[in-house]
């Protein structure tokens, strides 16, 4: 049997106000990794929790040397939390999973097997989504299919961010500095050998979903605007159709002598609606360009804990850690005093 004990795998888990279930997650994931032949590090990215989640993780780290914490200065969102976790991970493979156990850790073993067999990305494909509202299921299904049909990148349907990535994929991701990332699309964009393992998405046992409707809509917009320019072409098509219908209407009006005000009103509404819609679509893309052009750090790390000393993030663009700046200042102060 191959000895995998020197093979480090990182598990990255974004967490936001999960005090109700974080201890259960820690126990379950801990139990899973202790059974595996590979070596694991578990990185929690605390996305600005304001409940007792952070304290619970800090306490657990004291007992578990393989656990680490990266705490954001505020809530930057699930996708940026994943981005940060990937950048802090040092494993030969990196697994991203939600912290609410909807993605069962046991599936990681299947992902690792597929990786050992040569896959570079192993994504979790949801066979079933138990315990989620019909609205969430239908909207998610429709969104994945829409995205799939309007982009040239092969973004698999019914997959979230639960996946394993080989180090070479992670190296590419680290260099993609997107302000509003759609990580699952970016991973597909990278390419290499990508394969799926199917699993049943479990219902949440505790706590509420941290993805209210407005966050879902934002994620969907980020997915579409970062992977398709098709909506921008909408104005061309709709404009052509409107011009054609205007000509047809004119001919009909001349032919029949019909000049109803209703008709004018309808055409007016149609043109007005179309113009506003086109401006809105332009705005979405312009907003992305604007955000990207400011080149702010993607997120602010307020604290790190549990990392072996020497973890240095400064080689990665647009990463800021107040924590490491503090540490450097402290060292300089000590040097100046001595
Ligand atoms: N999460 C996060 N930041 C946010 C929202 C969510 O880090 O702003 C985390 C959350 O704690 C969980 C994961 O992202 O570990 C997925 O969120 P959630 O389970 O609420 O999403 P759903 O499964 O309902 O789509
Ligand atoms: Mg969830």
């Amino acid at each position: 049997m191959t000895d995998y004990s020197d093979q480090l795998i990182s598990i990255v888990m974004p967490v936001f106000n999960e005090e109700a279930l974080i201890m259960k997650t820690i126990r379950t994931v801990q139990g899973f990794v202790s059974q595996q032949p590979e070596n694991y590090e578990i990185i929690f990215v605390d996305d600005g929790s304001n409940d007792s989640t952070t304290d619970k993780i800090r306490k657990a780290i004291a007992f578990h040397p393989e656990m680490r914490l990266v705490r954001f200065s505020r809530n930057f969102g699930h996708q940026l939390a994943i981005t940060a976790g990937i950048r802090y991970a040092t494993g030969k493979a990196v697994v991203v999973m939600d912290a609410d156990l909807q993605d069962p850790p046991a599936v990681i073993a299947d992902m690792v097997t597929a990786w050992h067999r040569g896959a570079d990305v192993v994504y979790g494909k949801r066979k079933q989504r138990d315990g989620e509202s019909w609205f969430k299921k239908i909207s998610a299904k429709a969104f994945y299919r829409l995205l799939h049909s309007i982009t040239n990148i092969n973004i698999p349907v019914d997959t979230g961010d639960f996946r394993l990535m080989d180090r070479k994929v992670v190296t590419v991701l680290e260099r993609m500095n997107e302000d509003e990332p759609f990580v699952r699309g970016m991973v597909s964009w990278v390419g290499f050998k990508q394969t799926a393992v199917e699993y049943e998405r479990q219902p949440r046992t505790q706590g509420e979903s941290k993805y209210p409707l407005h966050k879902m809509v934002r994620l969907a917009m980020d997915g579409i605007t970062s992977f398709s320019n098709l909506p921008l072409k909408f104005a061309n098509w709709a404009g052509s159709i409107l011009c054609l219908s205007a000509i047809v209407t004119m001919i009909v009006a001349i032919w029949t002598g019909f000049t109803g005000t209703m008709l004018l009103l309808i055409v007016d509404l149609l043109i007005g609606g179309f113009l506003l819609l086109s401006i809105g679509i332009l705005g979405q893309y312009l907003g992305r360009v604007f955000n990207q052009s400011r080149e702010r750090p993607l997120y602010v790390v307020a604290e790190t804990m549990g990392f072996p000393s020497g973890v240095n993030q400064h080689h990665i663009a647009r990463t800021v850690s107040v924590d490491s700046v503090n540490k450097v200042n402290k060292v300089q102060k000590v040097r100046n005093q001595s």
Side-chain angles (χ1 to χ4, degrees):
M1 238 180 84
T2 323
D3 178 17
Y4 291 119
S5 59
D6 64 338
Q7 198 168 61
L8 182 70
I9 299 179
S10 311
I11 299 180
V12 168
M13 278 189 277
V15 273
F16 177 52
N17 289 348
E18 300 286 10
E19 64 181 1
L21 49 71
I22 191 69
M23 288 318 293
K24 189 177 171 195
T25 302
I26 291 172
R27 276 195 304 274
T28 312
V29 178
Q30 194 58 48
F32 166 78
V33 301
S34 64
Q35 308 278 309
Q36 302 307 305
E38 302 82 12
N39 223 338
Y40 277 83
E41 65 170 357
I42 304 166
I43 304 176
F44 287 98
V45 184
D46 181 354
D47 188 12
S49 298
N50 47 28
D51 62 0
S52 63
T53 305
T54 324
D55 274 339
K56 287 182 168 154
I57 297 174
R58 284 197 195 109
K59 280 189 190 129
I61 288 180
F63 298 97
H64 300 293
E66 72 285 13
M67 270 183 53
R68 329 218 180 290
L69 167 70
V70 176
R71 182 172 63 83
F72 280 178
S73 63
R74 64 168 172 83
N75 182 246
F76 280 86
H78 177 229
Q79 296 290 300
L80 284 170
I82 292 176
T83 305
I86 290 173
R87 289 174 171 205
Y88 276 89
T90 52
K92 282 186 181 160
V94 179
V95 176
V96 174
M97 69 184 277
D98 288 353
D100 58 4
L101 300 176
Q102 282 193 275
D103 307 326
V107 180
I108 296 176
D110 300 337
M111 292 181 169
V112 171
T113 307
W115 174 57
H116 284 155
R117 289 191 183 139
D120 298 305
V121 173
V122 190
Y123 51 84
K125 193 166 161 63
R126 299 159 178 174
K127 264 200 298 198
Q128 224 163 9
R129 301 169 69 124
D130 287 338
E132 285 180 308
S133 70
W134 62 266
F135 174 73
K136 186 149 190 159
K137 284 187 212 172
I138 290 179
S139 57
K141 251 194 149 63
F143 165 68
Y144 287 125
R145 275 149 192 84
L146 171 75
L147 186 64
H148 192 81
S149 62
I150 64 173
T151 173
N152 296 330
I153 312 290
N154 187 17
I155 303 173
V157 296
D158 302 331
T159 56
D161 287 308
F162 183 28
R163 64 190 62 218
L164 176 149
M165 292 166 286
D166 183 79
R167 171 57 46 191
K168 61 175 174 256
V169 176
V170 171
T171 306
V172 181
L173 279 184
E174 280 174 351
R175 278 152 186 75
M176 294 169 82
N177 296 301
E178 301 201 7
D179 286 64
E180 290 146 314
F182 184 66
V183 178
R184 58 201 82 164
M186 288 156 67
V187 175
S188 301
W189 180 91
V190 174
F192 295 112
K193 199 168 170 228
Q194 310 216 356
T195 171
V197 293
E198 291 203 324
Y199 76 106
E200 282 181 25
R201 190 156 158 93
Q202 305 298 311
R204 222 177 215 274
T205 51
Q206 273 129 345
E208 307 244 296
S209 168
K210 306 298 175 307
Y211 252 97
L213 185 63
H214 72 271
K215 281 192 183 174
M216 269 166 63
V217 172
R218 221 187 117 182
L219 181 70
M221 289 308 291
D222 284 342
I224 292 170
T225 49
S226 54
F227 285 97
S228 175
N229 285 339
L230 208 70
L232 282 173
K233 294 176 188 152
F234 165 81
N236 281 342
W237 298 334
S240 319
I241 293 168
L242 274 183
C243 284
L244 263 173
S245 12
I247 294 169
V248 172
T249 319
M250 246 164 58
I251 294 170
V252 172
I254 292 167
W255 196 263
T256 59
F258 170 70
T259 52
T261 26
M262 278 308 282
L263 191 67
L264 270 179
L265 195 67
I266 290 169
V267 172
D268 230 35
L269 281 176
L270 207 62
I271 295 176
F274 150 72
L275 281 176
L276 283 179
L277 197 63
S278 311
I279 295 171
I281 291 171
L282 270 178
Q284 288 290 339
Y285 283 88
L286 192 64
R288 275 191 86 81
V289 176
F290 175 56
N291 283 342
Q292 196 71 32
S293 71
R294 282 184 298 212
E295 296 208 3
R296 286 180 186 161
L298 300 181
Y299 48 77
V300 179
V301 173
E303 174 191 356
T304 54
M305 197 180 164
F307 285 91
S309 55
V311 171
N312 182 1
Q313 292 293 301
H314 292 294
H315 63 289
I316 299 177
R318 296 176 66 192
T319 293
V320 60
S321 166
V322 175
D323 181 53
S324 58
V325 172
N326 283 343
K327 277 180 192 155
V328 171
N329 285 347
K330 253 186 225 158
V331 172
Q332 268 167 358
K333 232 183 193 169
V334 173
R335 277 203 195 123
N336 292 344
Q337 280 165 359
S338 57

